Amino acid sequence: MTAESTLVAGVDSSTQSCKVVIVDPDTGEILRQGSAPHPAGTEVDPEAWWSALQQAICDAGGFADVAAVSISGQQHGLITLDRHGQVIRDALLWNDLRSDAAARALIAEIGADEFVDRAGIVPVASFTGAKLRWLRDHEPDNASRVAAVALPHDWLTWRLLGYGPTSSAAPRGPDLEALVTDASDASGTAYFSAVTGSYDLELFHAAFGSAAREAAGPTAHTKPATGTASPEPTAILLPRVLEPHESAGHTPEGILVGPGAGDNAAAALGLGAGPGDVVISIGTSGTVFSPTRLEINDPSGMVAGFASADGGRLPLVATLNAARVLDSAAVLLRASHTDVAALALASAPGANGLTLVPYFEGERTPNLPDATARLEGMTLANSTPENVARAFVEGMLCGLADGLDAVLRQGLTVKRLLLIGGAARNPAVREVARDIFTVPIDVPEQAEYVAIGAARQAAWTLTGTSPRWQVELVATLHPRPSQVRQQYRSFAHSGNTPDSSVTDRTNPAHENSDNDHRGSSGAHAPVEG
């Protein structure tokens, strides 16, 4: 870092790729950005992520003028380290579902209500605690070598700070006590409490059968003698949990490093979302989440009571069937995504009675893991390409609306929705959303909001003040009355989920915050975050 270093950087290490943005901390303007791909698969050598980070930094023009950086990452991935700082086995990613039986076993042993009370979530295969149980039961030799457990963003932060395995050229060596994390990512492990802000070590022991403790902080800033390692631990180390803008330290080059965050929490930061805002992200899977100060408690497991990256809570629902529903429509109709959108827009709300129940890969919200998709209400008159296309778009959005209902049942109120993700660019998705949701929908410009959120956290860590950056909107969509959701409910719910609607809680939120801003009704209007 030079005397002229004034910029901040944000990193999004996602499932598919690593993205880096370099930002003016005063205005939020993205000056440079870079990216590099990640390997496919549900288990990956973390060294591939480290290589991709280096490539993405180079692609973004380097960090010579960067004063601070934060890393956000995909949640739940399990990275196990031995006492030499060496990765024991490939990381198990969030989408590796071999730990499903382990999750069910943990619920049977602890109880769903007990898990929610203590950790804010009910274990599923995605969560780190379930993966630890799987490792214990299926790879005991690997389990016996574990000295520390980290999440993807924790490990990348550790490497960026100059730490690494004994066998590497890391200047600060394998100091496991230097591992750090933040509450938003730790809250996806199933052994951390978003309520208390600390680990529940008894839940960790239940998952892995070993004692654990929180790392104490770096023991040295110089590389130890060749061949040395962290002392034999008396308990497995878990990364030290930092406050929302607490420094993790400095890189060997002198760049300040922020605490980092889980990807959805970083996206909320990047959007400047506050109480009253609900983010709906339509990617490979769909997520619905909202920053709040309310306590979250959902024994059904539909709503995960995660922590946010700003010290609050981030209740989140994940649906398995999102943008891939549109992919399926394109395959079925032998049409491009553009053509599918045009066909859908040529139909009418309700697709003339045709309804898609979009559970192509089962579903998490509602919890129907063995369900399949189906088209209902078909007649000779309505079985047209236009109605099929419309039904697919409506079914996908109604599934997300079910997720929104689950979040709102936790007591949240909603003033506006923020629609992001690749499918938010689809004109049919935007238009049909007006028939599904009953509050205004702001569509921000397409941007790397996870990486931007990490950059915003880096600026906060650097200056001590969370910056207020503008988020440009490309559209504000106003709802219009329709019967689409009622038609969808008649086929999809069949008593599986409570019948609740957004209209139940569309009054102004009782949670007020300086970060609570409404979007303008004009296209391209800025909203401060």
Side-chain angles (χ1 to χ4, degrees), residues 183-202:
S184 72
D185 213 1
S187 62
T189 60
Y191 49 81
F192 177 90
S193 170
V195 176
T196 65
S198 60
Y199 290 110
D200 188 320
L201 299 179
E202 290 181 357

Side-chain angles (χ1 to χ4, degrees), residues 232-254:
E232 191 73 41
T234 57
I236 291 170
L237 291 178
L238 304 177
R240 182 166 54 99
V241 182
L242 302 179
E243 295 297 323
H245 62 288
E246 182 180 351
S247 168
H250 291 78
T251 70
E253 297 77 25

Side-chain angles (χ1 to χ4, degrees), residues 182-185 187 192-197 243-244 265 269 275 290-296 304-315 460 511:
D182 89 305
S184 72
D185 213 1
S187 62
F192 177 90
S193 170
V195 176
T196 65
E243 295 297 323
L269 273 185
S290 178
T292 183
R293 299 290 168 175
L294 295 176
E295 291 191 9
I296 305 301
F306 294 150
S308 66
D310 64 358
R313 304 292 292 276
L314 194 76
W460 190 8
E511 309 163 295

Side-chain angles (χ1 to χ4, degrees), residues 190-506:
Y191 49 81
F192 177 90
S193 170
V195 176
T196 65
S198 60
Y199 290 110
D200 188 320
L201 299 179
E202 290 181 357
L203 288 181
F204 181 92
H205 190 279
F208 198 53
S210 299
R213 66 174 176 85
E214 187 172 353
T219 56
H221 287 290
T222 58
K223 188 172 182 177
T226 303
T228 63
S230 292
E232 191 73 41
T234 57
I236 291 170
L237 291 178
L238 304 177
R240 182 166 54 99
V241 182
L242 302 179
E243 295 297 323
H245 62 288
E246 182 180 351
S247 168
H250 291 78
T251 70
E253 297 77 25
I255 300 172
L256 182 70
V257 180
D263 50 4
N264 289 298
L269 273 185
L271 288 163
D277 292 334
V278 178
V279 181
I280 296 181
S281 178
I282 314 177
T284 304
S285 60
T287 53
V288 181
F289 53 92
S290 178
T292 183
R293 299 290 168 175
L294 295 176
E295 291 191 9
I296 305 301
N297 189 298
D298 183 11
S300 76
M302 287 186 183
V303 180
F306 294 150
S308 66
D310 64 358
R313 304 292 292 276
L314 194 76
L316 181 144
V317 165
T319 66
L320 300 179
N321 299 282
R324 285 180 291 184
V325 174
L326 304 183
D327 295 339
S328 180
V331 171
L332 180 66
L333 295 170
R334 299 183 180 180
S336 68
H337 281 270
T338 300
D339 291 339
V340 170
L343 288 168
L345 292 172
S347 180
N352 291 300
L354 197 60
T355 296
L356 173 76
V357 181
Y359 303 153
F360 286 93
E361 296 185 327
E363 191 48 270
R364 284 181 57 181
T365 308
N367 185 24
L368 300 170
D370 299 320
T372 56
R374 61 188 191 274
L375 272 173
E376 298 276 7
M378 298 181 73
T379 67
L380 290 175
N382 68 15
S383 299
T384 67
E386 292 81 2
N387 290 330
V388 169
R390 183 90 181 196
F392 271 63
V393 176
E394 289 179 345
M396 179 192 72
L397 288 172
C398 284
L400 287 163
D402 281 350
L404 176 59
D405 287 349
V407 168
L408 296 184
R409 284 195 293 271
Q410 291 298 304
L412 280 74
T413 54
V414 55
K415 294 179 181 179
R416 65 163 181 167
L417 306 179
L418 289 162
L419 190 64
I420 64 171
R425 291 176 287 181
N426 186 304
V429 169
R430 295 185 187 182
E431 185 66 17
V432 172
R434 298 175 61 200
D435 301 317
I436 306 297
F437 301 107
T438 60
V439 289
I441 305 165
D442 282 340
V443 184
E445 66 177 350
Q446 194 72 16
E448 300 293 350
Y449 287 108
V450 176
I452 292 169
R456 184 178 176 186
Q457 185 192 66
W460 190 8
T461 304
L462 181 68
T463 67
T465 302
S466 182
R468 303 173 70 83
W469 295 342
Q470 289 186 334
V471 176
E472 298 293 330
L473 302 179
V474 298
T476 292
L477 311 173
H478 297 285
R480 58 192 172 202
S482 80
Q483 298 297 311
V484 173
R485 286 210 66 195
Q486 287 87 335
Q487 178 178 307
Y488 175 82
R489 286 191 186 102
S490 69
F491 292 113
H493 285 206
S494 301
N496 287 315
T497 58
D499 186 7
S500 178
S501 170
V502 181
T503 55
D504 295 338
R505 295 192 180 95
T506 53

